[in-house]
Amino acid sequence: MRAAVLVGLIASIQSLLTWADSYADQELRARGLLERAVAQYQQEGERSFAAFSRLGPFTEDDLYVFVVNRQGVMMASGGPSRVLIGRNITPLLDDQLRTGFQSILQTPLEQGVQEGEYRWINWRLGRVERKKAFYQPMNGHILAVGYYLPRADKASAVNMLERVVRALETDPEQTIALINQLDSEFYQDDIYPVVVDNETRRFLAHGYNHGLVGTRFETVKDHAGSDLGAPVVALMQNRDEGEFSYQWRNPVTQKVEAKTAAIRRVGRYLVLVGWYNE
């Protein structure tokens, strides 16, 4: 048993290290591409937009340079958004993103390279995903390079579950409070924990929908209308861990997606941490 747990822990750590390496590599490549674009713009000014908008030295796999002016008009793009060149993209944004975008457009020139996160359509997959961008104001333009943030996988969810289990064993009240406060220790990308009191069958903590706290877990249905709480309670009657699949809204994409939860019993608590399936 201990050997199996150790193997699982090692696999989780290896997966997380691979994810971190990939994330760091994407960030370095994006920064490097932006630096090259800034140097080109400093030499060529707006004449560089043509080079930014075609395959070549300013595109790298799925990374590309895009440029908007201070009015929100797309001036150049080496990616699928090149179809928006010449158009004001502000009306295409949701309210939250529009507010952030307007803030970016007002960034002073002297602040240098900035970074931010937002949701944007992944044209290859046909869905909205989290994206991180590095950008720099240059005269009347904003030069930027963005990349899609990887989705959390099963290993990340299990790692989160282990953290919650350890925290509950040490200080359950503090752990529950932190989860309900959306503390960054218990919230990562599109994974978050849920804690249920297995005696009262009520939600004690929810890392996404605080409105469920205090309600009966057994009566909860998933976002496709199927029973969720009752089958999980039945599943965990005579076991300490398990998995359950259902449909739930992804807080990153805001779409209902297939999800699987890893479940662990910790004393009187049931802890669930799920990951969204591709």
Side-chain angles (χ1 to χ4, degrees), residues 4 7 11 15 37 44 71 80 108 126 128 135 137 155 172 191 205-207 221 224 229 234 252 257 261 276 278:
V7 169
S15 177
E44 300 291 334
Q71 289 71 49
V128 175
Y135 60 92
I191 58 173
H206 199 292
K221 296 182 180 293
V252 173
E257 301 178 7
Y276 292 92
E278 291 292 343

PDB file of all heavy atoms in Angstrom, residues 4 7 11 15 37 44 71 80 108 126 128 135 137 155 172 191 205-207 221 224 229 234 252 257 261 276 278:
ATOM      1  N   ALA A   4       2.512   1.771  -3.308  1.00  0.00           N
ATOM      2  CA  ALA A   4       1.597   2.315  -4.317  1.00  0.00           C
ATOM      3  C   ALA A   4       1.402   3.804  -4.126  1.00  0.00           C
ATOM      4  O   ALA A   4       1.367   4.579  -5.086  1.00  0.00           O
ATOM      5  CB  ALA A   4       0.254   1.589  -4.245  1.00  0.00           C
ATOM      6  N   VAL A   7       4.553   5.565  -5.282  1.00  0.00           N
ATOM      7  CA  VAL A   7       4.624   5.622  -6.747  1.00  0.00           C
ATOM      8  C   VAL A   7       3.692   6.699  -7.283  1.00  0.00           C
ATOM      9  O   VAL A   7       4.045   7.474  -8.169  1.00  0.00           O
ATOM     10  CB  VAL A   7       4.269   4.248  -7.357  1.00  0.00           C
ATOM     11  CG1 VAL A   7       4.083   4.367  -8.865  1.00  0.00           C
ATOM     12  CG2 VAL A   7       5.356   3.237  -7.044  1.00  0.00           C
ATOM     13  N   ALA A  11       4.753  10.066  -9.338  1.00  0.00           N
ATOM     14  CA  ALA A  11       4.167  10.365 -10.651  1.00  0.00           C
ATOM     15  C   ALA A  11       3.552  11.751 -10.664  1.00  0.00           C
ATOM     16  O   ALA A  11       3.680  12.495 -11.646  1.00  0.00           O
ATOM     17  CB  ALA A  11       3.117   9.311 -11.008  1.00  0.00           C
ATOM     18  N   SER A  15       4.762  14.862 -13.019  1.00  0.00           N
ATOM     19  CA  SER A  15       3.825  15.544 -13.912  1.00  0.00           C
ATOM     20  C   SER A  15       3.822  17.040 -13.655  1.00  0.00           C
ATOM     21  O   SER A  15       3.821  17.846 -14.585  1.00  0.00           O
ATOM     22  CB  SER A  15       2.412  14.973 -13.726  1.00  0.00           C
ATOM     23  OG  SER A  15       1.486  15.664 -14.519  1.00  0.00           O
ATOM     24  N   ALA A  37      10.380  41.780 -31.341  1.00  0.00           N
ATOM     25  CA  ALA A  37       9.407  42.646 -32.005  1.00  0.00           C
ATOM     26  C   ALA A  37       9.617  44.107 -31.612  1.00  0.00           C
ATOM     27  O   ALA A  37       9.523  45.009 -32.459  1.00  0.00           O
ATOM     28  CB  ALA A  37       7.989  42.202 -31.647  1.00  0.00           C
ATOM     29  N   GLU A  44      12.051  50.134 -37.367  1.00  0.00           N
ATOM     30  CA  GLU A  44      11.224  50.296 -38.561  1.00  0.00           C
ATOM     31  C   GLU A  44       9.902  51.024 -38.320  1.00  0.00           C
ATOM     32  O   GLU A  44       9.220  51.390 -39.280  1.00  0.00           O
ATOM     33  CB  GLU A  44      10.927  48.924 -39.175  1.00  0.00           C
ATOM     34  CG  GLU A  44      12.162  48.136 -39.590  1.00  0.00           C
ATOM     35  CD  GLU A  44      12.869  48.762 -40.781  1.00  0.00           C
ATOM     36  OE1 GLU A  44      12.186  49.455 -41.566  1.00  0.00           O
ATOM     37  OE2 GLU A  44      14.085  48.561 -40.922  1.00  0.00           O
ATOM     38  N   GLN A  71      -6.557  53.275 -29.616  1.00  0.00           N
ATOM     39  CA  GLN A  71      -8.013  53.293 -29.789  1.00  0.00           C
ATOM     40  C   GLN A  71      -8.605  51.880 -29.790  1.00  0.00           C
ATOM     41  O   GLN A  71      -9.812  51.704 -29.909  1.00  0.00           O
ATOM     42  CB  GLN A  71      -8.386  54.001 -31.100  1.00  0.00           C
ATOM     43  CG  GLN A  71      -8.166  55.513 -31.073  1.00  0.00           C
ATOM     44  CD  GLN A  71      -6.689  55.874 -31.074  1.00  0.00           C
ATOM     45  OE1 GLN A  71      -5.920  55.360 -31.894  1.00  0.00           O
ATOM     46  NE2 GLN A  71      -6.298  56.756 -30.162  1.00  0.00           N
ATOM     47  N   PRO A  80      -4.183  33.837 -35.979  1.00  0.00           N
ATOM     48  CA  PRO A  80      -5.531  33.831 -36.562  1.00  0.00           C
ATOM     49  C   PRO A  80      -6.259  35.166 -36.431  1.00  0.00           C
ATOM     50  O   PRO A  80      -7.144  35.467 -37.237  1.00  0.00           O
ATOM     51  CB  PRO A  80      -6.249  32.733 -35.767  1.00  0.00           C
ATOM     52  CG  PRO A  80      -5.151  31.841 -35.283  1.00  0.00           C
ATOM     53  CD  PRO A  80      -3.998  32.747 -35.006  1.00  0.00           C
ATOM     54  N   PRO A 108       1.218  53.772 -19.243  1.00  0.00           N
ATOM     55  CA  PRO A 108       2.241  54.759 -19.616  1.00  0.00           C
ATOM     56  C   PRO A 108       3.414  54.103 -20.334  1.00  0.00           C
ATOM     57  O   PRO A 108       3.767  52.951 -20.071  1.00  0.00           O
ATOM     58  CB  PRO A 108       2.682  55.334 -18.263  1.00  0.00           C
ATOM     59  CG  PRO A 108       1.559  55.039 -17.327  1.00  0.00           C
ATOM     60  CD  PRO A 108       0.978  53.740 -17.797  1.00  0.00           C
ATOM     61  N   GLY A 126     -11.085  25.745 -30.850  1.00  0.00           N
ATOM     62  CA  GLY A 126     -12.445  26.252 -30.966  1.00  0.00           C
ATOM     63  C   GLY A 126     -13.124  26.521 -29.645  1.00  0.00           C
ATOM     64  O   GLY A 126     -14.336  26.344 -29.517  1.00  0.00           O
ATOM     65  N   VAL A 128     -12.827  29.044 -25.731  1.00  0.00           N
ATOM     66  CA  VAL A 128     -12.189  30.132 -24.997  1.00  0.00           C
ATOM     67  C   VAL A 128     -11.336  29.545 -23.878  1.00  0.00           C
ATOM     68  O   VAL A 128     -11.784  28.664 -23.140  1.00  0.00           O
ATOM     69  CB  VAL A 128     -13.251  31.090 -24.414  1.00  0.00           C
ATOM     70  CG1 VAL A 128     -12.597  32.152 -23.546  1.00  0.00           C
ATOM     71  CG2 VAL A 128     -14.038  31.741 -25.543  1.00  0.00           C
ATOM     72  N   TYR A 135       3.255  42.514 -22.835  1.00  0.00           N
ATOM     73  CA  TYR A 135       3.015  43.614 -23.759  1.00  0.00           C
ATOM     74  C   TYR A 135       3.852  44.821 -23.363  1.00  0.00           C
ATOM     75  O   TYR A 135       4.265  44.969 -22.209  1.00  0.00           O
ATOM     76  CB  TYR A 135       1.530  43.974 -23.794  1.00  0.00           C
ATOM     77  CG  TYR A 135       0.939  44.411 -22.472  1.00  0.00           C
ATOM     78  CD1 TYR A 135       0.896  45.760 -22.103  1.00  0.00           C
ATOM     79  CD2 TYR A 135       0.417  43.477 -21.580  1.00  0.00           C
ATOM     80  CE1 TYR A 135       0.352  46.166 -20.896  1.00  0.00           C
ATOM     81  CE2 TYR A 135      -0.126  43.871 -20.369  1.00  0.00           C
ATOM     82  CZ  TYR A 135      -0.160  45.214 -20.032  1.00  0.00           C
ATOM     83  OH  TYR A 135      -0.692  45.611 -18.829  1.00  0.00           O
ATOM     84  N   PRO A 137       4.008  49.147 -24.270  1.00  0.00           N
ATOM     85  CA  PRO A 137       3.562  50.337 -25.007  1.00  0.00           C
ATOM     86  C   PRO A 137       4.729  50.922 -25.800  1.00  0.00           C
ATOM     87  O   PRO A 137       5.838  51.055 -25.286  1.00  0.00           O
ATOM     88  CB  PRO A 137       3.117  51.298 -23.895  1.00  0.00           C
ATOM     89  CG  PRO A 137       2.992  50.458 -22.659  1.00  0.00           C
ATOM     90  CD  PRO A 137       3.984  49.358 -22.819  1.00  0.00           C
ATOM     91  N   ALA A 155      -3.085  14.936 -12.370  1.00  0.00           N
ATOM     92  CA  ALA A 155      -1.987  15.007 -11.403  1.00  0.00           C
ATOM     93  C   ALA A 155      -2.059  16.293 -10.584  1.00  0.00           C
ATOM     94  O   ALA A 155      -1.816  16.289  -9.373  1.00  0.00           O
ATOM     95  CB  ALA A 155      -0.641  14.909 -12.126  1.00  0.00           C
ATOM     96  N   PRO A 172      -8.699  22.073  10.524  1.00  0.00           N
ATOM     97  CA  PRO A 172      -9.864  22.041   9.632  1.00  0.00           C
ATOM     98  C   PRO A 172     -10.591  23.379   9.515  1.00  0.00           C
ATOM     99  O   PRO A 172     -11.001  23.764   8.418  1.00  0.00           O
ATOM    100  CB  PRO A 172     -10.765  20.965  10.255  1.00  0.00           C
ATOM    101  CG  PRO A 172     -10.264  20.774  11.643  1.00  0.00           C
ATOM    102  CD  PRO A 172      -8.810  21.088  11.610  1.00  0.00           C
ATOM    103  N   ILE A 191      -8.784  24.344 -11.144  1.00  0.00           N
ATOM    104  CA  ILE A 191      -9.039  23.333 -10.118  1.00  0.00           C
ATOM    105  C   ILE A 191      -9.193  24.009  -8.756  1.00  0.00           C
ATOM    106  O   ILE A 191      -8.554  25.022  -8.470  1.00  0.00           O
ATOM    107  CB  ILE A 191      -7.929  22.261 -10.049  1.00  0.00           C
ATOM    108  CG1 ILE A 191      -6.561  22.882  -9.773  1.00  0.00           C
ATOM    109  CG2 ILE A 191      -7.899  21.432 -11.308  1.00  0.00           C
ATOM    110  CD1 ILE A 191      -5.481  21.851  -9.527  1.00  0.00           C
ATOM    111  N   ALA A 205     -17.334  23.957   2.396  1.00  0.00           N
ATOM    112  CA  ALA A 205     -16.460  24.860   1.638  1.00  0.00           C
ATOM    113  C   ALA A 205     -16.584  24.549   0.162  1.00  0.00           C
ATOM    114  O   ALA A 205     -16.754  23.390  -0.235  1.00  0.00           O
ATOM    115  CB  ALA A 205     -15.007  24.714   2.091  1.00  0.00           C
ATOM    116  N   HIS A 206     -16.491  25.602  -0.639  1.00  0.00           N
ATOM    117  CA  HIS A 206     -16.517  25.437  -2.095  1.00  0.00           C
ATOM    118  C   HIS A 206     -15.597  26.491  -2.696  1.00  0.00           C
ATOM    119  O   HIS A 206     -15.776  27.680  -2.464  1.00  0.00           O
ATOM    120  CB  HIS A 206     -17.941  25.592  -2.638  1.00  0.00           C
ATOM    121  CG  HIS A 206     -18.130  25.000  -3.999  1.00  0.00           C
ATOM    122  ND1 HIS A 206     -17.526  25.521  -5.127  1.00  0.00           N
ATOM    123  CD2 HIS A 206     -18.837  23.913  -4.416  1.00  0.00           C
ATOM    124  CE1 HIS A 206     -17.867  24.789  -6.173  1.00  0.00           C
ATOM    125  NE2 HIS A 206     -18.651  23.805  -5.774  1.00  0.00           N
ATOM    126  N   GLY A 207     -14.609  26.030  -3.458  1.00  0.00           N
ATOM    127  CA  GLY A 207     -13.614  26.939  -4.003  1.00  0.00           C
ATOM    128  C   GLY A 207     -14.036  27.692  -5.236  1.00  0.00           C
ATOM    129  O   GLY A 207     -13.224  28.416  -5.827  1.00  0.00           O
ATOM    130  N   LYS A 221     -27.472  18.596  -8.156  1.00  0.00           N
ATOM    131  CA  LYS A 221     -27.372  17.994  -9.484  1.00  0.00           C
ATOM    132  C   LYS A 221     -26.237  18.675 -10.239  1.00  0.00           C
ATOM    133  O   LYS A 221     -25.862  19.808  -9.929  1.00  0.00           O
ATOM    134  CB  LYS A 221     -28.687  18.151 -10.247  1.00  0.00           C
ATOM    135  CG  LYS A 221     -29.863  17.413  -9.620  1.00  0.00           C
ATOM    136  CD  LYS A 221     -31.116  17.585 -10.463  1.00  0.00           C
ATOM    137  CE  LYS A 221     -32.298  16.853  -9.842  1.00  0.00           C
ATOM    138  NZ  LYS A 221     -32.104  15.380  -9.865  1.00  0.00           N
ATOM    139  N   ALA A 224     -25.714  19.350 -16.049  1.00  0.00           N
ATOM    140  CA  ALA A 224     -26.469  18.701 -17.123  1.00  0.00           C
ATOM    141  C   ALA A 224     -27.790  18.160 -16.589  1.00  0.00           C
ATOM    142  O   ALA A 224     -28.557  17.544 -17.322  1.00  0.00           O
ATOM    143  CB  ALA A 224     -25.653  17.577 -17.748  1.00  0.00           C
ATOM    144  N   GLY A 229     -24.693  14.820  -5.936  1.00  0.00           N
ATOM    145  CA  GLY A 229     -24.397  14.609  -4.528  1.00  0.00           C
ATOM    146  C   GLY A 229     -24.728  13.213  -4.037  1.00  0.00           C
ATOM    147  O   GLY A 229     -23.897  12.543  -3.404  1.00  0.00           O
ATOM    148  N   ALA A 234     -23.218   7.797  -1.890  1.00  0.00           N
ATOM    149  CA  ALA A 234     -23.360   6.343  -1.970  1.00  0.00           C
ATOM    150  C   ALA A 234     -22.027   5.679  -2.299  1.00  0.00           C
ATOM    151  O   ALA A 234     -21.676   4.635  -1.731  1.00  0.00           O
ATOM    152  CB  ALA A 234     -24.406   5.983  -3.027  1.00  0.00           C
ATOM    153  N   VAL A 252     -12.921  28.986 -15.774  1.00  0.00           N
ATOM    154  CA  VAL A 252     -12.027  29.649 -16.719  1.00  0.00           C
ATOM    155  C   VAL A 252     -12.724  29.893 -18.049  1.00  0.00           C
ATOM    156  O   VAL A 252     -12.736  31.002 -18.575  1.00  0.00           O
ATOM    157  CB  VAL A 252     -10.740  28.821 -16.923  1.00  0.00           C
ATOM    158  CG1 VAL A 252      -9.892  29.419 -18.043  1.00  0.00           C
ATOM    159  CG2 VAL A 252      -9.940  28.773 -15.629  1.00  0.00           C
ATOM    160  N   GLU A 257     -18.572  21.616 -18.846  1.00  0.00           N
ATOM    161  CA  GLU A 257     -17.642  20.650 -19.419  1.00  0.00           C
ATOM    162  C   GLU A 257     -17.645  19.362 -18.597  1.00  0.00           C
ATOM    163  O   GLU A 257     -18.059  19.344 -17.436  1.00  0.00           O
ATOM    164  CB  GLU A 257     -16.220  21.229 -19.453  1.00  0.00           C
ATOM    165  CG  GLU A 257     -16.086  22.505 -20.263  1.00  0.00           C
ATOM    166  CD  GLU A 257     -14.678  23.064 -20.241  1.00  0.00           C
ATOM    167  OE1 GLU A 257     -13.777  22.379 -19.705  1.00  0.00           O
ATOM    168  OE2 GLU A 257     -14.473  24.179 -20.748  1.00  0.00           O
ATOM    169  N   ALA A 261     -13.882  14.056 -10.524  1.00  0.00           N
ATOM    170  CA  ALA A 261     -13.400  14.459  -9.210  1.00  0.00           C
ATOM    171  C   ALA A 261     -12.721  13.291  -8.513  1.00  0.00           C
ATOM    172  O   ALA A 261     -13.239  12.166  -8.516  1.00  0.00           O
ATOM    173  CB  ALA A 261     -14.547  14.976  -8.347  1.00  0.00           C
ATOM    174  N   TYR A 276     -11.049  19.110 -15.359  1.00  0.00           N
ATOM    175  CA  TYR A 276     -11.886  19.124 -16.555  1.00  0.00           C
ATOM    176  C   TYR A 276     -11.228  18.292 -17.639  1.00  0.00           C
ATOM    177  O   TYR A 276     -10.036  18.428 -17.918  1.00  0.00           O
ATOM    178  CB  TYR A 276     -12.118  20.555 -17.027  1.00  0.00           C
ATOM    179  CG  TYR A 276     -12.970  21.337 -16.053  1.00  0.00           C
ATOM    180  CD1 TYR A 276     -12.386  22.089 -15.043  1.00  0.00           C
ATOM    181  CD2 TYR A 276     -14.355  21.281 -16.123  1.00  0.00           C
ATOM    182  CE1 TYR A 276     -13.165  22.782 -14.129  1.00  0.00           C
ATOM    183  CE2 TYR A 276     -15.141  21.969 -15.213  1.00  0.00           C
ATOM    184  CZ  TYR A 276     -14.538  22.714 -14.216  1.00  0.00           C
ATOM    185  OH  TYR A 276     -15.312  23.392 -13.313  1.00  0.00           O
ATOM    186  N   GLU A 278     -10.461  16.866 -21.403  1.00  0.00           N
ATOM    187  CA  GLU A 278     -10.343  17.449 -22.744  1.00  0.00           C
ATOM    188  C   GLU A 278     -11.496  16.977 -23.619  1.00  0.00           C
ATOM    189  O   GLU A 278     -11.957  15.870 -23.504  1.00  0.00           O
ATOM    190  CB  GLU A 278      -9.009  17.034 -23.378  1.00  0.00           C
ATOM    191  CG  GLU A 278      -7.805  17.672 -22.697  1.00  0.00           C
ATOM    192  CD  GLU A 278      -7.720  19.168 -22.914  1.00  0.00           C
ATOM    193  OE1 GLU A 278      -8.391  19.672 -23.845  1.00  0.00           O
ATOM    194  OE2 GLU A 278      -6.998  19.827 -22.173  1.00  0.00           O
TER     195      GLU A 278
END
